Amino acid sequence: MSAVLGHSHPDIVATVRRQVGELDHLFSGMLSRPVVELAERIVATLPDPLGKVLLLTTGA
């Protein structure tokens, strides 16, 4: 986890704490409001032919 999240950097720690308080379960078979909102934000940055996003878990 340290390689992914850093080594107790205060900004990373604050972000992880905030997100744990907002989203306690993430399973790709069930869509939660934060996941849908993230997908919408990503799609909004894409040009028209690429206006889709598929968020998957790879188990990493």
Side-chain angles (χ1 to χ4, degrees):
M1 292 298 286
S2 293
V4 176
L5 297 177
H7 300 274
S8 298
H9 188 282
D11 291 344
I12 302 297
V13 171
T15 299
V16 169
R17 282 187 176 145
R18 185 178 67 251
Q19 291 303 313
V20 166
E22 294 177 11
L23 181 64
D24 61 344
H25 180 69
L26 182 60
F27 168 59
S28 60
M30 298 168 51
L31 295 176
S32 64
R33 175 55 36 201
V35 171
V36 171
E37 290 171 356
L38 173 62
E40 290 170 344
R41 288 174 48 202
I42 292 171
V43 167
T45 68
L46 300 173
D48 285 333
L50 302 175
K52 295 181 181 180
V53 64
L54 178 60
L55 301 175
L56 301 171
T57 177
T58 62

